[in-house]
Amino acid sequence: STVTKILGSGATGVFLGASVNTETVFNRQLVEGGFNGAFFAPDGTLSPDYIKLAGAASEGTYFTSQAAPVAALGGPKTGPLADFFAAYQVTFGQSAQAYSAEGYDSANMIIEAIKSGVRDRKGMVEYFRTKSYKGVARTYKFQPNGEPEGDPSINIYRIKGGTINWLGVSSDLAK
């Protein structure tokens, strides 16, 4: 099996890009087989469900996400993003999840475009090519080819003590 090959290889780290269900089973099998290295997973793991499903094997897992860091997981405690998360909690009676802030920002970007008179897809594309938008998660501005401007912000998390903890942004952590 793949787990047996990894255990026999002496690997000190494993990255698995899969669904949460597959990641949890695979990680448990590694840990139960004696793997002591680092386990890395993508943004689908940014959920308390991963800890519930993987159990003790989730301890020490690293994962990445482009989503703004959720306050409940160690993200900002002040500022627009923290205010958004607090209002979300009050409004919906639960913590916001990954990409909630980006979804909110996206909806408000579109509303702003509509309020300015945009009525079709072509108009939206042109509007976003020439405008920037300061949202709760970040400021959005697009290049002429439609790609976002600026360096990508990849947030790094680690599970410690049974909780998800934000470690910071990759570009800051690499310094």
Side-chain angles (χ1 to χ4, degrees):
S1 77
T2 302
V3 170
T4 303
K5 289 178 185 175
I6 291 169
L7 294 171
S9 75
T12 58
V14 173
F15 175 84
L16 179 65
S19 69
V20 171
N21 290 336
T22 301
E23 289 167 353
T24 57
V25 170
F26 191 82
N27 190 20
R28 267 198 322 266
Q29 290 173 347
L30 282 173
V31 171
E32 289 167 1
F35 182 72
N36 292 317
F39 185 72
F40 299 87
D43 62 350
T45 313
L46 184 55
S47 165
D49 292 342
Y50 176 79
I51 296 170
K52 290 176 194 168
L53 294 169
S58 69
E59 188 67 20
T61 296
Y62 289 93
F63 49 98
T64 60
S65 177
Q66 289 183 307
V70 179
L73 306 179
K77 304 292 186 222
T78 61
L81 186 57
D83 294 345
F84 168 78
F85 288 129
Y88 189 101
Q89 177 72 41
V90 168
T91 302
F92 299 107
Q94 62 185 17
S95 297
Q97 298 297 306
Y99 298 105
S100 295
E102 289 81 1
Y104 177 82
D105 286 347
S106 297
N108 280 298
M109 289 168 60
I110 292 168
I111 290 167
E112 186 176 279
I114 291 168
K115 284 181 177 178
S116 78
V118 173
R119 295 293 182 258
D120 59 16
R121 182 184 185 286
K122 183 179 177 186
M124 280 288 171
V125 170
E126 289 304 314
Y127 182 85
F128 290 121
R129 280 188 178 148
T130 61
K131 304 287 184 193
S132 64
Y133 178 80
K134 182 162 180 53
V136 297
R138 62 182 55 91
T139 297
Y140 303 85
K141 183 156 177 59
F142 299 94
Q143 300 174 47
N145 66 359
E147 291 294 316
E149 281 191 3
D151 293 328
S153 59
I154 307 296
N155 291 288
I156 310 294
Y157 296 84
R158 186 172 191 200
I159 296 172
K160 185 174 182 182
T163 60
I164 299 169
N165 298 281
W166 179 59
L167 301 179
V169 177
S170 58
S171 56
D172 293 339
L173 295 171
K175 293 178 185 173

